[in-house]
Amino acid sequence: MNKILIRGEIYLNCYIIKEAGECYLINPGCDKEKIRQYLEENQLNVLGILLTDAHPENIRALDVANVPIYMHRKEFEIFTDSYNHEIKPMGQEAPFRIDDLRIILIRDKDTFYINENRIHTIHTPGHTQGSVCFQYRDDLYTGDTLYQGRVGRWDLPSGSLADMRKTIVHLIEDQPEHVRIHPSRGGSSTIGEEKKSNYFYLEWKDMVHGG
């Protein structure tokens, strides 16, 4: 796994899962040239782009490679809204057209292969209805769902506090403690550390379990 820090309106972590000269990009952000330079320097063939959610900061560089783009089926409405209101500002030419993209809508438990290894999709609603995490071996790419010591926002369109509570508690409790988490912003952590010290998990676990 490699991380590229993308600097736009906000700092964003773009992750690259790579094996044997092939890779998947997770949330490419806005800096196509920075990503293309990395791909060229490392001689990587991109197999696809994975979106944890389709808010504008994640999708400005979706045309960085001519490959399939995977998002949850419940996220497509968020994607089109982000495109129409943020990516294609009024009176300006958009950097890409939706019709030119190869978008594939996915579901919970869908898998992707890289060098015969699997990347697993985990549907994690809360930040948006179509938010997902992607797991590759012992690395969990949590997008705007779970951060180091905190969680993502739930007050944006299609977000839900009730869903976020359930997602965070089940995500942390269903994963082994040694699993590393990699969010869209900030540093990485482990499930064990979040289980021990994440304020939101500690506040919500009894509520979710009915305690």
Side-chain angles (χ1 to χ4, degrees), residues 140 142 146-148 179-183 187-191 194:
L140 185 64
T142 54
L146 177 61
Y147 298 127
Q148 182 182 37
V179 167
R180 297 173 291 269
I181 69 161
H182 308 291
S188 296
S189 181
T190 65
I191 289 292
E194 298 312 303

Side-chain angles (χ1 to χ4, degrees), residues 164-174 200-201 204-206 208-209:
M164 183 65 90
R165 287 188 187 123
K166 294 175 185 176
T167 283
I168 292 300
V169 171
H170 292 307
L171 188 65
I172 289 176
E173 294 184 351
D174 289 348
F200 294 92
Y201 167 73
W204 291 345
K205 64 177 182 176
D206 289 341
V208 169
H209 292 308

Side-chain angles (χ1 to χ4, degrees), residues 32-193:
K32 284 182 279 193
E33 293 310 311
K34 191 171 187 178
I35 295 172
R36 284 172 176 161
Q37 181 180 356
Y38 179 89
L39 296 173
E40 183 177 344
E41 289 174 352
N42 291 273
Q43 298 181 320
L44 292 173
N45 176 45
V46 183
L47 299 177
I49 294 172
L50 309 177
L51 294 179
T52 59
D53 70 75
H55 282 147
E57 66 272 15
N58 291 333
I59 67 171
R60 295 185 188 278
L62 276 187
D63 59 338
V64 66
N66 184 22
V67 295
I69 298 161
Y70 300 92
M71 70 183 75
H72 194 273
R73 63 186 183 88
K74 291 185 177 180
E75 197 67 6
F76 188 70
E77 184 176 348
I78 294 292
F79 171 69
T80 56
D81 184 69
S82 295
Y83 179 84
N84 289 326
H85 294 95
E86 299 287 341
I87 307 302
K88 188 180 69 172
M90 187 174 298
Q92 298 183 36
E93 184 176 351
F96 57 82
R97 296 172 63 249
I98 290 180
D99 291 344
D100 294 334
L101 302 177
R102 298 158 59 189
I103 296 172
I104 298 177
L105 302 181
I106 60 176
R107 298 173 181 267
D108 184 46
K109 297 184 174 64
D110 280 356
T111 58
F112 311 90
Y113 288 87
I114 179 169
N115 195 31
E116 299 184 356
N117 296 307
R118 294 183 181 184
I119 302 170
H120 299 274
T121 304
I122 304 172
H123 184 210
T124 51
H127 181 60
T128 64
Q129 280 299 301
S131 288
V132 298
C133 297
F134 295 104
Q135 186 162 15
Y136 180 65
R137 296 181 173 175
D138 291 331
D139 292 293
L140 185 64
Y141 300 91
T142 54
D144 289 313
T145 294
L146 177 61
Y147 298 127
Q148 182 182 37
R150 58 192 180 95
V151 302
R153 293 178 62 176
W154 56 79
D155 59 334
L156 299 171
S158 95
S160 165
L161 174 56
D163 285 343
M164 183 65 90
R165 287 188 187 123
K166 294 175 185 176
T167 283
I168 292 300
V169 171
H170 292 307
L171 188 65
I172 289 176
E173 294 184 351
D174 289 348
Q175 293 286 333
E177 293 192 0
H178 68 272
V179 167
R180 297 173 291 269
I181 69 161
H182 308 291
S184 287
R185 285 180 278 282
S188 296
S189 181
T190 65
I191 289 292
E193 184 60 35

